[in-house]
Amino acid sequence: MIPPQEASARRREIEDKLKQEEETLSFIRDSLEKSDQLTKNMVSILSSFESRLMKLENSIIPVHKQTENLQRLQENVEKTLSCLDHVISYYHVASDTEKIIREGPTGRLEEYLGSMAKIQKAVEYFQDNSPDSPELNKVKLLFERGKEALESEFRSLMTRHSKVVSPVLILDLISGDDDLDAQEDVTLEHLPESVLQDVIRISRWLVEYGRNQDFMNVYYQIRSSQLDRSIKGLKEHFHKSSSSSGVPYSPAIPNKRKDTPTKKPVKRPGTIRKAQNLLKQYSQHGLDGKKGGSNLIPLEGHEHDFRVKHLSEALNDKHGPLAGRDDMLDVETDAYIHCVSAFVKLAQSEYQLLADIIPEHHQKKTFDSLIQDALDGLMLEGENIVSAARKAIVRHDFSTVLTVFPILRHLKQTKPEFDQVLQGTAASTKNKLPGLITSMETIGAKALEDFADNIKNDPDKEYNMPKDGTVHELTSNAILFLQQLLDFQETAGAMLASQVLGDTYNIPLDPRETSSSATSYSSEFSKRLLSTYICKVLGNLQLNLLSKSKVYEDPALSAIFLHNNYNYILKSLEKSELIQLVAVTQKTAERSYREHIEQQIQTYQRSWLKVTDYIAEKNLPVFQPGVKGFNDGLEELCKIQKAWAIPDTEQRDRIRQAQKTIVKETYGAFLQKFGSVPFTKNPEKYIKYGVEQVGDMIDRLFDTSA
């Protein structure tokens, strides 16, 4: 049970809380009343504002719509005015641009192309909107006139500024690849830069807007003419230079200082000059073999006069194996070789120029047309060389045929560049050079075979035989011809291989020695073919010399003749690379020639038996007739053999010494045994010579000056 005090306290506490709650409730009631009042006031205000907004909206919306319509009308008017201005401008294009079109694009291409753009737009407008309008015809005519003017300007720029490339610049361009010391590249500027840019602009306009391709024909015709004239100019340069100085020169590269020209000789790509050079060496240096670096043996005495004479005849005789070799032929060869190189370089440069001007899909065709005249000219000249060689073979003028060798070698060396330049051209264009190479290989192989046959079948002309038994011109010509081949071993070997002459020379053809191309053989196989060919020529020469030696009535002179020729051949082979070539297929050739030489020396020595037999012990004691026969025989032989020739000093001294030893020993033994025998009152009538006198007489053999 709760005590009364606590119950009273608790009641008071509850009454206090109740009183507080009542006060709070009264406050909330008052607040709600105020809030209701405010809400009523706000609703009243909002209702009034809504009423006013509705009135404003009803007033503004019609005005807004009216304003929007007015703005649209204004825009339409502005657009209409703009269109009218634009349309009206097309009607003024003809009059605005006519003067510019009439005066042409020269000197103001940019302005001219701007006017052409306006005319083109006018044409398009009238075609789309007013095809029957007279204005259309007017702007069309103006456009065509403007296009023709641009075509004319293109032609004019190309014609006026396309210059023939000077021979000097071409020679510098050619020699630039081989001159390792060259510090500057030689470049060609076919057109000035400003002109080139104008030409490019016109070209692009004609393609894009003019719908015209005729300018491409104009381009290739003009550039084709310049290319052709440049190459012909180079050829003429060679002719003029050769007539004035003998050798074309290429001055310094143009971009060097003009006040310090430095002439440099053109690198000559392998012309044949050995025959002339050898002849000069013979005449200038007495054929002593010490000056001039001749590959031939030293020649002295009688052979000097004879060799100079018959080499001169050989170089000019229209029937000799080295007929027709002269400076003009070398100039023609050099000129052609340089023109081939010039074509490659100039064609490369032309394509670079063309690539900037002609649209890509027309470049190959245009380039093909551009190079035709120059290429056809080169091929025609090459075929003329082949034709001339063919005629030369018929008349046995093999020196003319030799011009084919350096040309063919150069064509083969240049072929990779040719193929690269002609890439993309027609098949007929690409096949021109291979066709010429094949023709030259065929005629070259024919010349080699005919030369070998000519050596074998050269007639024995008694009047053409050297009276002193020296080297026959057939021998020297054959050696000279073979020495020419040393400079063209690969070319000559390829000529033989191209004709598949392996069967002719009994050389087995190993499949590994050929490539996929029927005319491409290994260098080893070609070398073996050439070695076999040289051995064939030497064999034919030996047979012919044996036949010719029979023309001599005196067997001793015949032996001297064969000795001189065999010795000349051997020494010539040894002093050149011919001996190495011969050894490829004939290992014993050198030994064989030495044996032949010794046989002829022995044959010659037998001619003295008719002299020494008179005083030989086996024929004594027929004393008086014997010694007189010795004297007469000695005098007769010395008189006859004094006029004979052995050009090789070493061989001459050797033969003299050997003969002197034999005769002096025999004669000395005779005198020692019978010199004191009193067989006559006048012994000097029979014993005319002392032993040393006999030796001196023999020392004067083979010497017309003694």
Side-chain angles (χ1 to χ4, degrees), residues 71-288:
Q71 287 178 339
R72 190 177 297 111
L73 289 173
Q74 184 180 3
E75 290 175 0
N76 289 339
V77 169
E78 289 176 352
K79 288 181 179 179
T80 301
L81 291 174
S82 176
C83 289
L84 286 173
D85 289 340
H86 184 66
V87 170
I88 291 171
S89 69
Y90 290 129
Y91 284 87
H92 292 291
V93 164
S95 59
D96 291 343
T97 59
E98 186 174 9
K99 181 181 178 183
I100 296 174
I101 299 303
R102 185 174 64 250
E103 293 176 352
T106 304
R108 52 174 180 179
L109 181 61
E110 199 67 34
E111 181 184 6
Y112 194 89
L113 291 178
S115 296
M116 288 299 294
K118 292 178 182 179
I119 296 171
Q120 184 181 6
K121 289 180 180 178
V123 170
E124 293 172 353
Y125 170 79
F126 288 119
Q127 283 178 335
D128 293 340
N129 298 282
S130 185
D132 298 328
S133 171
E135 290 296 327
L136 176 59
N137 294 330
K138 194 179 293 185
V139 290
K140 267 189 174 181
L141 289 173
L142 199 57
F143 183 82
E144 290 301 320
R145 191 188 307 168
K147 186 171 73 170
E148 291 172 2
L150 284 171
E151 293 170 359
S152 177
E153 178 70 2
F154 182 89
R155 179 188 294 273
S156 176
L157 289 173
M158 292 299 303
T159 303
R160 284 188 288 115
H161 296 281
S162 289
K163 305 296 183 184
V164 173
V165 182
S166 71
V168 169
L169 189 55
I170 294 175
L171 290 174
D172 282 334
L173 188 68
I174 294 172
S175 62
D177 288 346
D178 300 322
D179 189 358
L180 298 178
D181 297 329
Q183 299 295 318
E184 301 177 51
D185 293 331
V186 181
T187 56
L188 296 179
E189 184 182 67
H190 294 292
L191 297 172
E193 184 61 29
S194 60
V195 174
L196 175 61
Q197 294 306 317
D198 284 352
V199 168
I200 293 173
R201 289 291 308 278
I202 295 174
S203 166
R204 291 177 179 173
W205 189 92
L206 290 173
V207 171
E208 187 174 356
Y209 303 109
R211 305 294 188 268
N212 178 282
Q213 296 182 7
D214 292 342
F215 78 94
M216 299 180 197
N217 297 331
V218 171
Y219 177 86
Y220 91 70
Q221 289 168 2
I222 294 173
R223 294 307 308 171
S224 175
S225 174
Q226 300 304 323
L227 175 61
D228 193 39
R229 289 170 59 194
S230 296
I231 294 175
K232 289 178 178 176
L234 177 63
K235 185 178 179 182
E236 292 173 4
H237 174 74
F238 268 83
H239 289 205
K240 291 178 182 178
S241 298
S242 64
S243 62
S244 60
S245 63
V247 180
Y249 284 96
S250 170
I253 298 173
N255 54 11
K256 292 182 179 179
R257 290 186 58 185
K258 294 183 179 179
D259 58 342
T260 57
T262 57
K263 290 188 176 182
K264 58 183 179 182
V266 178
K267 188 172 184 180
R268 311 178 77 82
T271 55
I272 303 173
R273 297 185 179 275
K274 280 190 177 178
Q276 288 91 336
N277 292 340
L278 289 170
L279 180 57
K280 290 177 183 177
Q281 291 164 14
Y282 297 150
S283 60
Q284 292 174 0
H285 305 305
L287 298 104
D288 58 7

Side-chain angles (χ1 to χ4, degrees), residues 526-538:
S526 297
K527 180 179 284 189
R528 281 194 287 141
L529 269 182
L530 185 58
S531 173
T532 306
Y533 170 77
I534 292 173
C535 291
K536 178 181 178 181
V537 172
L538 293 175

